Amino acid sequence: MYATEKSGGELSGGGPSVGGMTDAIVVEGLVKRFGATTALDGVDLTVAEGSVLGLLGPNGAGKTTVVRILTTLLEADAGRVEVVGLDVSREADRVRAAIGLTGQYAAVDEYLTGFENLEMVGRLYRLGRAEARRRAGELLERFDLSGAADRPAKTYSGGMRRRLDIAASLIARPRVLFLDEPTTGLDPRSRLSMWEFIADLADGGTTILLTTQYLEEADRLADRMVVIDRGRVIARGTADELKAQVGGQRLEFTVTDAAVLPGMVERLRPLAVEDPVVDVQARRLSLPVSGGAEVLAEALRRLDGATAEIFDVGLRRPDLDDVFLALTGRVAEEVATEDDPTAEPAITGGAR
Amino acid sequence: MSSMAATLSDSVVITKRNLIKVKRVPDLIVFATLSPIMFVLLFRYVFGGAIQLPPGTSYGEFLLPGIFAQTIVLGSTTTGASLAEDLQKGLIDRFRSLPMSRSAVLIGRTVADAGLNIISITVMALTGLVVGWRINSSVGEAVLGFVVLLLFAYAISWLMAMVGLLVRTPEVVNNASFIVIFPLTFVANTFVPLETFPSVLRTFAEWNPVSAVVQSARNLFGNTSPLAPTPDAWSLQNPVLYTLIWVVLILAVFVPLSVRAYRRAAGR
């Protein structure tokens, strides 16, 4: 996918077509200060062309600040920031022609109809009038908004506005799409359909940088993740790598009588990759293992019928909540909801 | 596309967007026209009898150019409040992320607001004709009179644009601009002749650009009496020139400052 006919032809030295560059976004040593507060303290990240990066962190971690800098809305204080091979501050206009942005709050004009909103944004991306109208029609169709095309956006539900907002950012077929918390505030059903739209876009080859507080969302949509907290990257990798970083999977047994636990530990120890953890109070044994269901089968075999006291058994994989807890010492949801989203500049001091 | 043509085309798109809102929210038009009508009637009939005028002047003729000036200067505050609203709703962020001209949002805004001002000045003129205001000059002079009024209001729009982008809350923009606009339009020859002012206030009023705007309109509509005393201040002897100097000055300062404020505008 290419941005517009216009910028496509202008790309030259340093452009993405030169030298087989494969990273659509390159950020190195990014620093941003708001007064005395350091919002971003040396962030590095890259996003490969055509992939989806999930930028995770609690509110106030600096996610939105990263997005605002990458989309030319905010100037960095230090660091190298390139989008599709273009420097975001020196070649801002060419960057803008190649990107689409959907912010935290649906930025649609309430008084314009859905169609008029898209046509306006299309014209401002410098599409011709006919092309802008054609794209507007296509996108309304694709985002299930055709029926509401001629109604002012004021009458739209939250989910519809968000879809219109994403449609607007796609009108000029951007090569890189920034989605800043695209499902915050949506009901579960709208969230699911939004996920499908985003997954479709990713399949279509659009490079996406997605910020979210929802770990499930990142797990589902992102190829790779970067976790930031207090303006610094605290972890990065695929979901599996991050989970591995917190520890692999565990076998968990809950028994009806804690007295059987020592015996079980004895028998199962050969399967453990690390020391088993016994919680007598909870009558629970947690056994770090590697491998899948076959480990569970093997464990039951080793217990050899001595299972009368077993109340519950399961193979548990860490989810991103565990990752977050392990990395920050805080529970993601809890941290995420306590800050005022308008207090962006307060950033690093914000969270506990 | 050259950058001039691009700016023009983007500005047209934004102007159109702003005017669609006027069409969809009829309240805007209703209030933009009702309040001028109210002002005309209020001053004409409540204060009209109490105000001492130079011999040979009817209050209807004296009043209307003043009401025109006050109303459209107040109308210009819309620019600030609307931009603050766009900022709050994240629209300015969207526009700033687009490869569009950096001044088009402001040009489109101020031009649309000038459009609203044209509507309200038309309504006021018609109401004025009903309550005894007359144009006693040539068509050319009368048109120039309206142009001077609208130009000054347009310049004030750019000042308000900067206020709106810096203050960022529509309600605060409104309150803040009233504090400035009311003294500016009342400490002037808008509603009463300058001869009635105490001396310090009178000097301020003589050099107040709003007085010059009103004086220009009165001269160009033929609403002055030949028996009225010649004003002492240069500003009121050459009101059109003095007004145009202010227009150029305000635009020269606030166009660049507003564009700068737009480029740096931080949404929420």
Side-chain angles (χ1 to χ4, degrees):
Chain A
M1 280 197 191
Y2 290 97
T4 60
E5 315 88 308
K6 204 174 149 278
S7 70
E10 284 171 3
L11 296 172
S12 55
S17 50
V18 180
M21 176 175 280
T22 52
D23 284 331
I25 298 174
V26 178
V27 174
E28 276 177 21
L30 176 57
V31 174
K32 179 67 193 176
R33 283 180 281 270
F34 293 108
T37 315
T38 302
L40 298 178
D41 194 5
V43 169
D44 302 304
L45 60 86
T46 57
V47 186
E49 184 105 47
S51 74
V52 179
L53 178 82
L55 185 58
L56 281 125
N59 255 336
K63 303 187 299 289
T64 297
T65 306
V66 171
V67 171
R68 291 182 68 83
I69 290 170
L70 284 165
T71 53
T72 77
L73 297 181
L74 203 58
E75 291 265 349
D77 289 321
R80 181 163 83 101
V81 184
E82 286 179 7
V83 175
V84 296
L86 302 165
D87 183 288
V88 290
S89 70
R90 281 199 308 276
E91 296 165 288
D93 245 354
R94 289 170 64 196
V95 170
R96 291 178 191 124
I99 64 170
L101 165 65
T102 293
Q104 261 181 59
Y105 306 88
V108 298
D109 189 317
E110 302 190 311
Y111 304 102
L112 302 192
T113 64
F115 184 85
E116 287 166 343
N117 263 294
L118 296 187
E119 188 194 8
M120 170 181 76
V121 175
R123 295 287 285 150
L124 295 173
Y125 266 112
R126 303 276 153 76
L127 302 181
R129 191 184 304 273
E131 170 73 355
R133 290 169 154 263
R134 200 179 57 72
R135 283 291 289 160
E138 272 174 27
L139 286 163
L140 287 166
E141 184 86 27
R142 177 162 167 202
F143 285 89
D144 291 341
L145 290 168
S146 291
D150 296 322
R151 269 170 32 204
K154 210 181 175 56
T155 66
Y156 285 20
S157 69
M160 289 165 78
R161 282 185 198 212
R162 211 60 83 88
R163 298 207 302 272
L164 182 61
D165 196 24
I166 293 199
S169 58
L170 291 174
I171 198 134
R173 303 179 196 280
R175 295 171 58 187
V176 181
L177 182 64
F178 294 90
L179 300 172
D180 193 5
E181 304 199 1
T183 65
T184 300
L186 292 187
D187 60 67
R189 207 167 58 101
S190 305
R191 175 170 299 154
L192 279 175
S193 70
M194 189 60 81
W195 284 352
E196 279 166 29
F197 287 120
I198 296 170
D200 278 355
L201 281 173
D203 291 342
T206 309
T207 305
I208 298 174
L209 187 149
L210 164 95
T211 79
T212 183
Q213 305 168 10
Y214 303 114
L215 304 160
E216 188 192 353
E217 183 164 293
D219 205 0
R220 173 139 175 189
L221 296 172
D223 300 312
R224 300 183 62 77
M225 298 179 206
V226 166
V227 184
I228 63 173
D229 190 32
R230 301 191 167 112
R232 288 170 178 276
V233 175
I234 54 172
R236 66 179 82 231
T238 62
D240 288 339
E241 284 167 359
L242 287 187
K243 288 170 186 171
Q245 214 167 317
V246 220
Q249 50 198 348
R250 303 183 296 277
L251 265 183
E252 279 189 5
F253 293 89
T254 310
V255 295
T256 51
D257 180 1
V260 304
L261 287 173
M264 286 173 68
V265 171
E266 211 53 37
R267 292 177 182 218
L268 297 177
R269 192 181 294 277
L271 292 178
V273 293
E274 275 171 62
D275 283 340
V277 180
V278 174
D279 184 340
V280 175
Q281 196 100 63
R283 302 187 308 276
R284 192 164 58 213
L285 164 64
S286 176
L287 199 71
V289 293
S290 70
E294 71 278 10
V295 186
L296 177 60
E298 172 66 17
L300 292 173
R301 212 167 13 253
R302 280 171 182 265
L303 291 175
D304 190 26
T307 53
E309 282 81 21
I310 295 176
F311 171 71
D312 184 41
V313 58
L315 187 63
R316 184 157 141 65
R317 298 168 179 276
D319 60 17
L320 280 169
D321 287 299
D322 299 321
V323 174
F324 214 90
L325 190 60
L327 289 171
T328 65
R330 290 170 289 162
V331 179
E333 306 277 343
E334 176 192 339
V335 180
T337 47
E338 75 184 9
D339 294 294
D340 176 5
T342 61
E344 184 72 19
I347 288 171
T348 47
R352 287 178 298 173
Chain B
M1 219 183 311
S2 80
S3 79
M4 271 291 256
T7 300
L8 191 69
S9 135
D10 292 346
S11 302
V12 170
V13 172
I14 297 290
T15 306
K16 202 177 135 198
R17 169 228 165 196
N18 293 331
L19 291 177
I20 287 176
K21 176 177 176 182
V22 176
K23 195 172 80 183
R24 300 263 155 83
V25 191
D27 300 15
L28 272 179
I29 282 287
V30 171
F31 286 105
T33 54
L34 272 188
S35 65
I37 293 176
M38 180 200 74
F39 269 119
V40 169
L41 299 179
L42 213 60
F43 277 90
R44 173 70 186 84
Y45 295 109
V46 178
F47 297 119
I51 290 166
Q52 278 286 305
L53 289 174
T57 322
S58 86
Y59 194 64
E61 299 217 342
F62 179 85
L63 171 70
L64 261 288
I67 296 277
F68 291 164
Q70 191 199 33
T71 309
I72 64 172
V73 167
L74 262 180
S76 304
T77 59
T78 319
T79 304
S82 307
L83 285 170
E85 194 184 333
D86 282 350
L87 254 181
Q88 268 194 341
K89 294 195 170 155
L91 276 161
I92 298 286
D93 276 358
R94 156 130 284 151
F95 291 137
R96 288 182 60 228
S97 77
L98 299 178
M100 62 183 288
S101 151
R102 301 288 96 183
S103 52
V105 168
L106 301 177
I107 296 175
R109 181 78 255 163
T110 51
V111 168
D113 291 338
L116 264 182
N117 263 338
I118 290 176
I119 294 172
S120 66
I121 210 170
T122 309
V123 172
M124 283 189 288
L126 294 174
T127 316
L129 291 173
V130 173
V131 300
W133 174 67
R134 292 293 177 268
I135 293 174
N136 306 310
S137 59
S138 69
V139 175
E141 281 176 311
V143 170
L144 187 60
F146 285 115
V147 169
V148 169
L149 283 163
L150 290 166
L151 265 182
F152 184 73
Y154 184 74
I156 298 290
S157 257
W158 278 94
L159 186 159
M160 289 301 162
M162 191 193 71
V163 173
L165 290 170
L166 296 181
V167 172
R168 314 198 295 186
T169 316
E171 295 77 17
V172 178
V173 175
N174 277 331
N175 292 337
S177 50
F178 274 35
I179 292 172
V180 180
I181 300 292
F182 263 87
L184 215 56
T185 54
F186 273 92
V187 186
N189 57 2
T190 328
F191 302 108
V192 294
L194 290 181
E195 289 73 23
T196 61
F197 280 81
S199 70
V200 177
L201 222 50
R202 179 169 170 178
T203 309
F204 174 84
E206 280 171 346
W207 292 92
N208 178 350
V210 175
S211 290
V213 174
V214 175
Q215 190 68 37
S216 305
R218 284 192 185 126
N219 291 351
L220 290 163
F221 295 141
N223 293 144
T224 47
S225 159
L227 302 174
T230 316
D232 302 328
W234 179 86
S235 55
L236 296 180
Q237 288 165 1
N238 308 281
V240 176
L241 178 61
Y242 185 65
T243 302
L244 293 180
I245 290 174
W246 269 99
V247 168
V248 171
L249 214 66
I250 294 171
L251 290 177
V253 173
F254 288 101
V255 171
L257 284 183
S258 300
V259 173
R260 199 173 98 123
Y262 172 82
R263 299 176 85 112
R264 297 178 175 192
R268 305 150 180 270

PDB file of all heavy atoms in Angstrom, chain A residues 298-322:
ATOM      1  N   GLU A 298       1.778 -37.118  32.032  1.00  0.00           N
ATOM      2  CA  GLU A 298       2.899 -37.780  32.689  1.00  0.00           C
ATOM      3  C   GLU A 298       2.825 -37.604  34.218  1.00  0.00           C
ATOM      4  O   GLU A 298       3.066 -38.538  34.981  1.00  0.00           O
ATOM      5  CB  GLU A 298       4.216 -37.201  32.140  1.00  0.00           C
ATOM      6  CG  GLU A 298       5.483 -37.648  32.853  1.00  0.00           C
ATOM      7  CD  GLU A 298       5.768 -39.144  32.686  1.00  0.00           C
ATOM      8  OE1 GLU A 298       5.170 -39.752  31.768  1.00  0.00           O
ATOM      9  OE2 GLU A 298       6.549 -39.698  33.494  1.00  0.00           O
ATOM     10  N   ALA A 299       2.416 -36.409  34.630  1.00  0.00           N
ATOM     11  CA  ALA A 299       2.312 -36.137  36.061  1.00  0.00           C
ATOM     12  C   ALA A 299       1.267 -37.042  36.691  1.00  0.00           C
ATOM     13  O   ALA A 299       1.502 -37.633  37.759  1.00  0.00           O
ATOM     14  CB  ALA A 299       1.947 -34.667  36.283  1.00  0.00           C
ATOM     15  N   LEU A 300       0.140 -37.178  36.023  1.00  0.00           N
ATOM     16  CA  LEU A 300      -0.924 -38.013  36.582  1.00  0.00           C
ATOM     17  C   LEU A 300      -0.480 -39.471  36.641  1.00  0.00           C
ATOM     18  O   LEU A 300      -0.771 -40.195  37.584  1.00  0.00           O
ATOM     19  CB  LEU A 300      -2.206 -37.859  35.757  1.00  0.00           C
ATOM     20  CG  LEU A 300      -2.846 -36.469  35.869  1.00  0.00           C
ATOM     21  CD1 LEU A 300      -4.005 -36.316  34.900  1.00  0.00           C
ATOM     22  CD2 LEU A 300      -3.293 -36.191  37.307  1.00  0.00           C
ATOM     23  N   ARG A 301       0.273 -39.885  35.604  1.00  0.00           N
ATOM     24  CA  ARG A 301       0.802 -41.242  35.593  1.00  0.00           C
ATOM     25  C   ARG A 301       1.715 -41.472  36.799  1.00  0.00           C
ATOM     26  O   ARG A 301       1.639 -42.474  37.478  1.00  0.00           O
ATOM     27  CB  ARG A 301       1.562 -41.474  34.287  1.00  0.00           C
ATOM     28  CG  ARG A 301       1.470 -42.906  33.827  1.00  0.00           C
ATOM     29  CD  ARG A 301       1.929 -43.196  32.399  1.00  0.00           C
ATOM     30  NE  ARG A 301       2.667 -42.176  31.723  1.00  0.00           N
ATOM     31  CZ  ARG A 301       2.162 -41.432  30.723  1.00  0.00           C
ATOM     32  NH1 ARG A 301       0.905 -41.581  30.338  1.00  0.00           N
ATOM     33  NH2 ARG A 301       2.906 -40.528  30.113  1.00  0.00           N
ATOM     34  N   ARG A 302       2.592 -40.474  37.057  1.00  0.00           N
ATOM     35  CA  ARG A 302       3.516 -40.627  38.172  1.00  0.00           C
ATOM     36  C   ARG A 302       2.800 -40.683  39.521  1.00  0.00           C
ATOM     37  O   ARG A 302       3.294 -41.303  40.459  1.00  0.00           O
ATOM     38  CB  ARG A 302       4.510 -39.449  38.208  1.00  0.00           C
ATOM     39  CG  ARG A 302       5.627 -39.635  37.210  1.00  0.00           C
ATOM     40  CD  ARG A 302       6.474 -38.395  37.104  1.00  0.00           C
ATOM     41  NE  ARG A 302       7.510 -38.623  36.095  1.00  0.00           N
ATOM     42  CZ  ARG A 302       8.725 -39.046  36.411  1.00  0.00           C
ATOM     43  NH1 ARG A 302       9.069 -39.246  37.665  1.00  0.00           N
ATOM     44  NH2 ARG A 302       9.611 -39.262  35.453  1.00  0.00           N
ATOM     45  N   LEU A 303       1.688 -40.008  39.612  1.00  0.00           N
ATOM     46  CA  LEU A 303       0.955 -40.056  40.883  1.00  0.00           C
ATOM     47  C   LEU A 303       0.302 -41.426  41.054  1.00  0.00           C
ATOM     48  O   LEU A 303      -0.047 -41.810  42.166  1.00  0.00           O
ATOM     49  CB  LEU A 303      -0.100 -38.950  40.930  1.00  0.00           C
ATOM     50  CG  LEU A 303       0.475 -37.531  41.030  1.00  0.00           C
ATOM     51  CD1 LEU A 303      -0.621 -36.491  40.937  1.00  0.00           C
ATOM     52  CD2 LEU A 303       1.278 -37.369  42.321  1.00  0.00           C
ATOM     53  N   ASP A 304       0.145 -42.117  39.950  1.00  0.00           N
ATOM     54  CA  ASP A 304      -0.249 -43.517  39.931  1.00  0.00           C
ATOM     55  C   ASP A 304      -1.422 -43.850  40.850  1.00  0.00           C
ATOM     56  O   ASP A 304      -1.294 -44.581  41.824  1.00  0.00           O
ATOM     57  CB  ASP A 304       0.985 -44.382  40.310  1.00  0.00           C
ATOM     58  CG  ASP A 304       0.698 -45.860  40.066  1.00  0.00           C
ATOM     59  OD1 ASP A 304      -0.159 -46.157  39.193  1.00  0.00           O
ATOM     60  OD2 ASP A 304       1.314 -46.696  40.755  1.00  0.00           O
ATOM     61  N   GLY A 305      -2.541 -43.229  40.590  1.00  0.00           N
ATOM     62  CA  GLY A 305      -3.731 -43.582  41.343  1.00  0.00           C
ATOM     63  C   GLY A 305      -3.879 -42.864  42.665  1.00  0.00           C
ATOM     64  O   GLY A 305      -4.959 -42.834  43.235  1.00  0.00           O
ATOM     65  N   ALA A 306      -2.781 -42.263  43.160  1.00  0.00           N
ATOM     66  CA  ALA A 306      -2.882 -41.550  44.435  1.00  0.00           C
ATOM     67  C   ALA A 306      -3.501 -40.185  44.197  1.00  0.00           C
ATOM     68  O   ALA A 306      -2.915 -39.150  44.510  1.00  0.00           O
ATOM     69  CB  ALA A 306      -1.493 -41.408  45.068  1.00  0.00           C
ATOM     70  N   THR A 307      -4.695 -40.193  43.624  1.00  0.00           N
ATOM     71  CA  THR A 307      -5.298 -38.926  43.220  1.00  0.00           C
ATOM     72  C   THR A 307      -6.585 -38.621  43.971  1.00  0.00           C
ATOM     73  O   THR A 307      -7.273 -37.651  43.660  1.00  0.00           O
ATOM     74  CB  THR A 307      -5.612 -38.947  41.709  1.00  0.00           C
ATOM     75  OG1 THR A 307      -6.399 -40.120  41.448  1.00  0.00           O
ATOM     76  CG2 THR A 307      -4.361 -38.970  40.877  1.00  0.00           C
ATOM     77  N   ALA A 308      -6.919 -39.411  44.953  1.00  0.00           N
ATOM     78  CA  ALA A 308      -8.177 -39.229  45.670  1.00  0.00           C
ATOM     79  C   ALA A 308      -8.292 -37.846  46.293  1.00  0.00           C
ATOM     80  O   ALA A 308      -9.371 -37.262  46.345  1.00  0.00           O
ATOM     81  CB  ALA A 308      -8.340 -40.299  46.740  1.00  0.00           C
ATOM     82  N   GLU A 309      -7.143 -37.320  46.752  1.00  0.00           N
ATOM     83  CA  GLU A 309      -7.186 -36.030  47.442  1.00  0.00           C
ATOM     84  C   GLU A 309      -7.077 -34.837  46.497  1.00  0.00           C
ATOM     85  O   GLU A 309      -7.094 -33.702  46.924  1.00  0.00           O
ATOM     86  CB  GLU A 309      -6.066 -35.947  48.498  1.00  0.00           C
ATOM     87  CG  GLU A 309      -6.367 -36.702  49.780  1.00  0.00           C
ATOM     88  CD  GLU A 309      -6.085 -38.198  49.615  1.00  0.00           C
ATOM     89  OE1 GLU A 309      -5.315 -38.548  48.687  1.00  0.00           O
ATOM     90  OE2 GLU A 309      -6.649 -38.997  50.374  1.00  0.00           O
ATOM     91  N   ILE A 310      -6.916 -35.137  45.209  1.00  0.00           N
ATOM     92  CA  ILE A 310      -6.770 -34.006  44.272  1.00  0.00           C
ATOM     93  C   ILE A 310      -8.132 -33.408  43.945  1.00  0.00           C
ATOM     94  O   ILE A 310      -9.030 -34.094  43.486  1.00  0.00           O
ATOM     95  CB  ILE A 310      -6.044 -34.444  42.984  1.00  0.00           C
ATOM     96  CG1 ILE A 310      -4.612 -34.858  43.325  1.00  0.00           C
ATOM     97  CG2 ILE A 310      -6.022 -33.296  41.974  1.00  0.00           C
ATOM     98  CD1 ILE A 310      -3.848 -35.398  42.151  1.00  0.00           C
ATOM     99  N   PHE A 311      -8.231 -32.129  44.238  1.00  0.00           N
ATOM    100  CA  PHE A 311      -9.501 -31.429  44.064  1.00  0.00           C
ATOM    101  C   PHE A 311      -9.540 -30.770  42.683  1.00  0.00           C
ATOM    102  O   PHE A 311     -10.558 -30.713  42.016  1.00  0.00           O
ATOM    103  CB  PHE A 311      -9.611 -30.376  45.179  1.00  0.00           C
ATOM    104  CG  PHE A 311     -10.752 -29.435  45.030  1.00  0.00           C
ATOM    105  CD1 PHE A 311     -12.061 -29.880  45.228  1.00  0.00           C
ATOM    106  CD2 PHE A 311     -10.536 -28.088  44.710  1.00  0.00           C
ATOM    107  CE1 PHE A 311     -13.116 -29.004  45.106  1.00  0.00           C
ATOM    108  CE2 PHE A 311     -11.592 -27.222  44.595  1.00  0.00           C
ATOM    109  CZ  PHE A 311     -12.884 -27.678  44.786  1.00  0.00           C
ATOM    110  N   ASP A 312      -8.372 -30.264  42.255  1.00  0.00           N
ATOM    111  CA  ASP A 312      -8.324 -29.571  40.963  1.00  0.00           C
ATOM    112  C   ASP A 312      -6.902 -29.664  40.435  1.00  0.00           C
ATOM    113  O   ASP A 312      -5.935 -29.613  41.190  1.00  0.00           O
ATOM    114  CB  ASP A 312      -8.708 -28.105  41.154  1.00  0.00           C
ATOM    115  CG  ASP A 312      -8.781 -27.364  39.826  1.00  0.00           C
ATOM    116  OD1 ASP A 312      -9.299 -27.961  38.851  1.00  0.00           O
ATOM    117  OD2 ASP A 312      -8.310 -26.215  39.752  1.00  0.00           O
ATOM    118  N   VAL A 313      -6.795 -29.832  39.122  1.00  0.00           N
ATOM    119  CA  VAL A 313      -5.468 -29.845  38.515  1.00  0.00           C
ATOM    120  C   VAL A 313      -5.538 -29.121  37.181  1.00  0.00           C
ATOM    121  O   VAL A 313      -6.546 -29.178  36.477  1.00  0.00           O
ATOM    122  CB  VAL A 313      -4.949 -31.286  38.332  1.00  0.00           C
ATOM    123  CG1 VAL A 313      -5.902 -32.106  37.471  1.00  0.00           C
ATOM    124  CG2 VAL A 313      -3.559 -31.285  37.696  1.00  0.00           C
ATOM    125  N   GLY A 314      -4.470 -28.383  36.861  1.00  0.00           N
ATOM    126  CA  GLY A 314      -4.516 -27.661  35.592  1.00  0.00           C
ATOM    127  C   GLY A 314      -3.133 -27.233  35.130  1.00  0.00           C
ATOM    128  O   GLY A 314      -2.197 -27.129  35.940  1.00  0.00           O
ATOM    129  N   LEU A 315      -3.047 -27.020  33.828  1.00  0.00           N
ATOM    130  CA  LEU A 315      -1.820 -26.503  33.242  1.00  0.00           C
ATOM    131  C   LEU A 315      -2.065 -25.021  33.029  1.00  0.00           C
ATOM    132  O   LEU A 315      -2.980 -24.631  32.312  1.00  0.00           O
ATOM    133  CB  LEU A 315      -1.580 -27.206  31.906  1.00  0.00           C
ATOM    134  CG  LEU A 315      -0.263 -26.939  31.190  1.00  0.00           C
ATOM    135  CD1 LEU A 315       0.924 -27.411  32.018  1.00  0.00           C
ATOM    136  CD2 LEU A 315      -0.275 -27.630  29.835  1.00  0.00           C
ATOM    137  N   ARG A 316      -1.275 -24.206  33.702  1.00  0.00           N
ATOM    138  CA  ARG A 316      -1.566 -22.780  33.628  1.00  0.00           C
ATOM    139  C   ARG A 316      -0.443 -22.049  32.900  1.00  0.00           C
ATOM    140  O   ARG A 316       0.723 -22.157  33.255  1.00  0.00           O
ATOM    141  CB  ARG A 316      -1.724 -22.238  35.050  1.00  0.00           C
ATOM    142  CG  ARG A 316      -2.111 -20.792  35.121  1.00  0.00           C
ATOM    143  CD  ARG A 316      -2.790 -20.482  36.443  1.00  0.00           C
ATOM    144  NE  ARG A 316      -2.399 -19.188  36.982  1.00  0.00           N
ATOM    145  CZ  ARG A 316      -2.689 -18.030  36.397  1.00  0.00           C
ATOM    146  NH1 ARG A 316      -3.335 -18.013  35.269  1.00  0.00           N
ATOM    147  NH2 ARG A 316      -2.309 -16.899  36.952  1.00  0.00           N
ATOM    148  N   ARG A 317      -0.833 -21.281  31.830  1.00  0.00           N
ATOM    149  CA  ARG A 317       0.144 -20.462  31.115  1.00  0.00           C
ATOM    150  C   ARG A 317       0.026 -19.046  31.655  1.00  0.00           C
ATOM    151  O   ARG A 317      -1.075 -18.581  31.910  1.00  0.00           O
ATOM    152  CB  ARG A 317      -0.175 -20.415  29.617  1.00  0.00           C
ATOM    153  CG  ARG A 317      -0.120 -21.756  28.947  1.00  0.00           C
ATOM    154  CD  ARG A 317      -0.741 -21.664  27.563  1.00  0.00           C
ATOM    155  NE  ARG A 317      -0.670 -22.948  26.900  1.00  0.00           N
ATOM    156  CZ  ARG A 317       0.402 -23.361  26.243  1.00  0.00           C
ATOM    157  NH1 ARG A 317       1.462 -22.591  26.171  1.00  0.00           N
ATOM    158  NH2 ARG A 317       0.415 -24.535  25.678  1.00  0.00           N
ATOM    159  N   PRO A 318       1.135 -18.339  31.768  1.00  0.00           N
ATOM    160  CA  PRO A 318       1.041 -16.957  32.256  1.00  0.00           C
ATOM    161  C   PRO A 318       0.345 -16.106  31.196  1.00  0.00           C
ATOM    162  O   PRO A 318       0.552 -16.321  30.010  1.00  0.00           O
ATOM    163  CB  PRO A 318       2.486 -16.531  32.433  1.00  0.00           C
ATOM    164  CG  PRO A 318       3.271 -17.419  31.535  1.00  0.00           C
ATOM    165  CD  PRO A 318       2.511 -18.708  31.440  1.00  0.00           C
ATOM    166  N   ASP A 319      -0.516 -15.202  31.594  1.00  0.00           N
ATOM    167  CA  ASP A 319      -1.062 -14.271  30.610  1.00  0.00           C
ATOM    168  C   ASP A 319      -0.360 -12.927  30.797  1.00  0.00           C
ATOM    169  O   ASP A 319       0.515 -12.771  31.642  1.00  0.00           O
ATOM    170  CB  ASP A 319      -2.582 -14.162  30.719  1.00  0.00           C
ATOM    171  CG  ASP A 319      -3.014 -13.679  32.082  1.00  0.00           C
ATOM    172  OD1 ASP A 319      -2.159 -13.124  32.808  1.00  0.00           O
ATOM    173  OD2 ASP A 319      -4.190 -13.856  32.425  1.00  0.00           O
ATOM    174  N   LEU A 320      -0.764 -11.972  29.965  1.00  0.00           N
ATOM    175  CA  LEU A 320      -0.018 -10.718  30.018  1.00  0.00           C
ATOM    176  C   LEU A 320      -0.235  -9.979  31.326  1.00  0.00           C
ATOM    177  O   LEU A 320       0.565  -9.141  31.708  1.00  0.00           O
ATOM    178  CB  LEU A 320      -0.380  -9.854  28.819  1.00  0.00           C
ATOM    179  CG  LEU A 320       0.360 -10.296  27.557  1.00  0.00           C
ATOM    180  CD1 LEU A 320      -0.203  -9.613  26.335  1.00  0.00           C
ATOM    181  CD2 LEU A 320       1.852 -10.007  27.665  1.00  0.00           C
ATOM    182  N   ASP A 321      -1.308 -10.320  32.011  1.00  0.00           N
ATOM    183  CA  ASP A 321      -1.490  -9.708  33.332  1.00  0.00           C
ATOM    184  C   ASP A 321      -0.366 -10.119  34.272  1.00  0.00           C
ATOM    185  O   ASP A 321       0.143  -9.313  35.042  1.00  0.00           O
ATOM    186  CB  ASP A 321      -2.846 -10.103  33.916  1.00  0.00           C
ATOM    187  CG  ASP A 321      -3.975  -9.390  33.193  1.00  0.00           C
ATOM    188  OD1 ASP A 321      -4.009  -8.148  33.230  1.00  0.00           O
ATOM    189  OD2 ASP A 321      -4.800 -10.077  32.581  1.00  0.00           O
ATOM    190  N   ASP A 322       0.001 -11.408  34.165  1.00  0.00           N
ATOM    191  CA  ASP A 322       1.132 -11.865  34.977  1.00  0.00           C
ATOM    192  C   ASP A 322       2.397 -11.129  34.576  1.00  0.00           C
ATOM    193  O   ASP A 322       3.222 -10.752  35.407  1.00  0.00           O
ATOM    194  CB  ASP A 322       1.354 -13.372  34.793  1.00  0.00           C
ATOM    195  CG  ASP A 322       0.161 -14.187  35.234  1.00  0.00           C
ATOM    196  OD1 ASP A 322      -0.441 -13.818  36.262  1.00  0.00           O
ATOM    197  OD2 ASP A 322      -0.177 -15.165  34.555  1.00  0.00           O
TER     198      ASP A 322
END
